[in-house]
Amino acid sequence: MELHDVWFVLIAVLWTGYFFLEGFDFGVGILTKLLARNRPERRVLINTIGPVWDGNEVWLLTAGGATFAAFPEWYATLFSGFYLPLLLILVCLIVRGVAFEYRAKRPEENWQRNWETAIFWTSLLPAFLWGVAFGNIVRGVKLDRNFEYVGNVWDLLNPYALLGGLVTLTLFTFHGAVFTALKTVGEIRVRARNLARWVGLVAAVVALAFLLWTQADSGDGKSLVALIVAVVALVAALVANQAGREGWSFALSGVTIVAAVAMLFLSLFPNVMPSTLNGNWSLTVTNASSSPYTLKIMTWCAAIATPLVLLYQGWTYWVFRKRIGTQHIAPDAAAGAAH
């Protein structure tokens, strides 16, 4: 296997890890409006992801940096052609981080409610837009002979990509709901489990339609296996959720996301961005990659740094592994006081 193939796989792994981890905290952010009934419950939801949300975003930074270094032509075309949606995602992530940090800085109800609203919208919009972006990457976009995007933003809003956006939105919301059921106690845990059942059913329908469309369009035997794993895992996650096995349900919803993302990258390879104008103008792992020397240096750096990052992040999740509920919210925090 050539180094550019190795780095295609590594970038796929980074995006998969990002969607697995950021997927559930996007979902929890969405649930602050759909599930929580009062301010203490919203605080419980925020606290379930408070210690980990910023660590989850490291996977996005690493995926972007790895793409820039390993496949500069892909990075340049992607970020210039998808400039507006990616800028919107970036703004949402910035505002979302500020909202987490500043929500409890002042006790006024309007102050906290506005930041909670910001958390909701800046979780929902990226959850949808990432699906739209990856739908367009897999489907292909208008690239000319110079590998430059010659379409416009409206070309990105095609039925396939919009369906991809609905898939990520519903899957992440389901993932967040089962995570909430796993991390909470009391009534909110029961309601999270009930909501997960209905959101999961919707996610199953739209995900099946999207994955079958992908398989028919650009799939092969390997992507078909990934499709089957994704569908079986999602059904099993729904069954586990119904049985009250939150740990199994969360793990299986994660398997669903991993298998679905794997299917997209399997359908894409050896392209990294197909051209809908002329197949010969597509960006591939060969014509978009850096020099072999650059990839070799990157491989050594990744081999040293990646285990350390994984150990630290795993330790963080272990430290904050216990369930929480409204009874763990201090009275002054429940009343809206800063803490």
Side-chain angles (χ1 to χ4, degrees):
M1 181 182 286
E2 299 289 337
L3 276 180
H4 51 64
D5 296 332
V6 172
W7 273 96
F8 179 86
V9 174
L10 291 177
I11 288 171
V13 170
L14 289 170
W15 279 110
T16 302
Y18 174 67
F19 287 141
F20 178 91
L21 296 171
E22 190 85 312
F24 73 74
D25 75 44
F26 280 150
V28 172
I30 294 169
L31 294 178
T32 57
K33 290 293 185 183
L34 301 183
L35 183 66
R37 293 178 176 175
N38 50 49
R39 296 170 71 188
E41 288 190 352
R42 285 192 291 274
R43 188 61 190 170
V44 167
L45 291 177
I46 293 171
N47 282 357
T48 63
I49 59 174
V52 298
W53 67 267
D54 48 354
N56 295 343
E57 291 188 355
V58 170
W59 289 76
L60 171 63
L61 298 176
T62 309
T67 304
F68 172 76
F71 299 100
E73 191 73 49
W74 183 16
Y75 183 93
T77 303
L78 177 64
F79 279 79
S80 59
F82 292 20
Y83 181 81
L84 286 178
L86 292 179
L87 177 63
L88 181 56
I89 290 173
L90 177 60
V91 171
C92 284
L93 295 180
I94 292 172
V95 173
R96 190 169 183 263
V98 173
F100 280 126
E101 296 297 332
Y102 277 78
R103 177 199 169 276
K105 295 298 184 183
R106 290 172 55 179
E108 291 88 348
E109 183 175 353
N110 286 342
W111 171 272
Q112 297 195 359
R113 185 171 59 245
N114 289 339
W115 285 121
E116 288 163 359
T117 300
I119 290 172
F120 169 76
W121 285 109
T122 56
S123 299
L124 185 148
L125 288 174
F128 176 75
L129 289 174
W130 278 126
V132 174
F134 271 83
N136 278 294
I137 291 172
V138 174
R139 170 182 173 270
V141 292
K142 295 179 179 179
L143 299 183
D144 64 13
R145 66 175 65 250
N146 297 315
F147 308 127
E148 294 181 359
Y149 180 66
V150 293
N152 56 55
V153 69
W154 302 112
D155 293 326
L156 303 177
L157 302 179
N158 54 81
Y160 177 80
L162 292 174
L163 181 60
L166 290 177
V167 171
T168 51
L169 177 60
T170 54
L171 273 183
F172 290 172
T173 305
F174 173 68
H175 199 39
V178 295
F179 177 79
T180 299
L182 176 64
K183 286 287 293 179
T184 58
V185 295
E187 184 185 351
I188 194 170
R189 174 187 178 188
V190 176
R191 280 191 275 118
R193 193 187 304 156
N194 291 335
L195 181 62
R197 178 172 67 248
W198 298 110
V199 175
L201 290 172
V202 175
V205 172
V206 294
L208 181 60
F210 178 75
L211 295 179
L212 287 175
W213 191 343
T214 304
Q215 180 65 26
D217 225 21
S218 55
D220 57 15
K222 294 178 182 178
S223 63
L224 179 60
V225 172
L227 185 156
I228 294 171
V229 171
V231 172
V232 171
L234 183 52
V235 172
L238 286 166
V239 173
N241 176 72
Q242 187 67 22
R245 304 296 297 273
E246 290 103 344
W248 279 106
S249 183
F250 177 71
L252 289 165
S253 70
V255 171
T256 302
I257 292 173
V258 169
V261 177
M263 181 191 176
L264 295 183
F265 277 96
L266 288 169
S267 301
L268 186 61
F269 186 81
N271 295 320
V272 294
M273 186 172 283
S275 172
T276 57
L277 298 180
N278 187 323
N280 295 324
W281 299 344
S282 297
L283 283 170
T284 68
V285 293
T286 303
N287 63 25
S289 70
S290 294
S291 67
Y293 181 74
T294 299
L295 296 178
K296 184 177 180 179
I297 296 297
M298 289 175 58
T299 303
W300 279 106
C301 292
I304 295 171
T306 303
L308 299 176
V309 173
L310 291 175
L311 285 172
Y312 176 77
Q313 192 163 24
W315 176 78
T316 303
Y317 275 92
W318 175 256
V319 169
F320 295 100
R321 67 189 181 278
K322 293 186 178 180
R323 296 177 183 266
I324 62 173
T326 53
Q327 67 269 32
H328 300 113
I329 302 298
D332 57 338
H339 69 290

